[in-house]
Amino acid sequence: MTTEYWTCIGVDSNVPWPIKETKVTFDGYEFILRPETETLAPSIAFEHGSKGIDPDDALTISRRFMSSLSWVSKQGLRETTLAGGSKPIYIGKGQINRTRTNHFDPAYLPVLTERKPLLALALYRDALSTNNIAYQFLGLSRILNIISNSPYEQKKWINDNLDKIIDSEVLKIVGQIKNGSKSVGEHIYNSGRCAVAHAYSEPIVDPDDSKDIRRMHDELPLIKALAEIFIEHELNVKSQSTVSREHLYELAGFKDAISESIFKEILSKTSRRVKPSEIDITFTIGLRSKPVYCGLSKMTILESNMKNSILSLALSTDDKSVQIWIGLDFANEKLIYDPCNGMKFFDRHTNESLVAIKSFIQFKRDLFLNGCFEVRNAENNEILGYTNAYIPTVEIDTLAIEKIIFHIDDLLIHGR
């Protein structure tokens, strides 16, 4: 019989850390991220005993999660203290956590299985988590070592991939090295990687020499950019910026939920009405990182049609008090919604109708306050798709919205 056992990790993090306990799912495992307080360090708690996972494997899984989080945020995440037991032990105060947030939402965390990508993200997190500039440089250089053990191949790869750098400040560093009549690959490998790793022959980085450390500091963004290019282009681990640019997350879950035959029809630009029974899904409409709006938790398809690679769905509550239109634009990977003209409510003069309308108005208020529109499968709570934050183009009278909510509460308490 397996019993509860927790692994708890105190962290020193440059990753923006939640200010309240936050559950995050990674690779099917649930982690609790706990905030920093006056007496407690920020920490991660992982219950694994009931799942039959021993502490060593649990620590590896936790570190994979930390490395994935470090990669998408491009920040260091260092473990300071380890503890374990039958309860989720809190970690006493250590170093100060520098960055906190009340909007913690790691929407994208790459789950990897192959050895080289896993190693690369581990090295990336490890490098960014040290305070020593020279060892940061060396740690990031080790990622390029995954290419080959050959110095020639590593130098060649650097020179062949400089055109992928887009950051203007990093390009200035490249220009400065080239102006010194040096091959960038030769310079990074010999005067960077080897100068830190070895102490037998020149060039050598002297930890006490301010000029050496200043040069390492100035060139650190270049080796960081090269390591990130390598991870993304050679090991196929997408960065957060690439994921945001592709916005595949807007429709990712729908592609699995909709039948293959319907999906093929949509992509072939078939035009026809679609029976609700052809898309057997109950929907929850909400916003990312917000509690469920109870009146919008079980919406069904009122009507649907496909045209020009867009599947249009008119969703409704059971009593049709709230109706919301969404469009699934598979050609452009966009989840479409219209908060002004594509959402409406009808008072059916019942308490159930008022509850649904109140939920709807609260939802719209939060959406107008830069909420991220989200659609879930109501049966299993899996995310079907979500968008970036809504940016209003007109002034929103939130005070008027609050008055409507107050009025509905009054009706629910005292009757009409």
Side-chain angles (χ1 to χ4, degrees), residues 348-364:
R348 305 300 181 188
H349 302 286
T350 64
N351 279 0
E352 290 76 10
S353 179
L354 283 177
V355 169
I357 292 169
K358 178 184 174 182
S359 288
F360 172 68
I361 294 172
Q362 289 173 324
F363 160 77
K364 284 194 71 172

Side-chain angles (χ1 to χ4, degrees), residues 113-335:
T113 56
E114 297 181 5
R115 172 62 175 163
K116 287 184 178 180
L118 286 168
L119 176 60
L121 261 57
L123 293 172
Y124 183 85
R125 177 177 67 87
D126 187 60
L128 296 189
S129 298
T130 179
N131 293 324
N132 185 296
I133 295 296
Y135 288 137
Q136 274 194 30
F137 198 103
L138 177 61
L140 292 166
S141 298
R142 290 180 66 198
I143 294 171
L144 305 187
N145 192 205
I146 295 175
I147 306 166
S148 166
N149 193 40
S150 163
Y152 169 80
E153 291 295 334
Q154 293 182 50
K155 296 173 190 177
K156 183 178 184 302
W157 185 90
I158 292 172
N159 290 328
D160 288 347
N161 286 274
L162 294 175
D163 61 343
K164 294 185 177 68
I165 296 173
I166 58 175
D167 187 287
S168 58
E169 294 302 313
V170 178
L171 288 171
K172 286 180 183 178
I173 301 170
V174 173
Q176 289 166 1
I177 295 172
K178 287 183 176 180
N179 287 340
S181 301
K182 295 179 180 177
S183 154
V184 176
E186 190 81 20
H187 177 78
I188 290 296
Y189 186 85
N190 292 336
S191 298
R193 178 194 182 280
C194 293
V196 177
H198 306 304
Y200 177 73
S201 60
E202 295 293 345
I204 296 172
V205 169
D206 182 344
D208 287 343
D209 190 320
S210 60
K211 291 181 180 179
D212 283 354
I213 300 305
R214 187 180 303 115
R215 180 178 67 80
M216 290 278 95
H217 176 272
D218 291 345
E219 295 176 2
L220 187 64
L222 173 55
I223 189 61
K224 184 171 183 281
L226 289 168
E228 290 169 358
I229 289 168
F230 176 79
I231 291 172
E232 180 153 16
H233 292 272
E234 300 294 335
L235 301 179
N236 299 315
V237 183
K238 291 182 180 179
S239 64
Q240 179 66 66
S241 59
T242 296
V243 170
S244 297
R245 185 173 65 252
E246 294 177 342
H247 52 79
L248 300 179
Y249 49 82
E250 294 200 23
L251 299 177
F254 284 103
K255 293 175 183 176
D256 294 328
I258 294 173
S259 71
E260 186 177 350
S261 59
I262 293 288
F263 190 54
K264 285 181 178 178
E265 279 191 87
I266 296 169
L267 292 182
S268 66
K269 298 187 176 181
T270 299
S271 295
R272 71 172 178 88
R273 295 185 68 83
V274 180
K275 296 178 182 178
S277 59
E278 294 182 85
I279 305 172
D280 188 21
I281 304 173
T282 305
F283 299 88
T284 295
I285 299 295
L287 303 174
R288 285 192 67 75
S289 302
K290 292 287 186 182
V292 173
Y293 299 88
C294 59
L296 311 180
S297 62
K298 292 184 179 180
M299 302 189 74
T300 55
I301 298 173
L302 191 62
E303 58 180 76
S304 176
N305 63 77
M306 62 173 73
K307 184 179 181 180
N308 295 330
S309 298
I310 299 176
L311 177 65
S312 296
L313 302 174
L315 307 180
S316 173
T317 54
D318 284 345
D319 63 356
K320 299 182 176 58
S321 292
V322 176
Q323 296 174 23
I324 297 176
W325 172 86
I326 61 173
L328 314 181
D329 184 352
F330 288 101
N332 297 299
E333 297 288 349
K334 296 292 292 182
L335 172 58

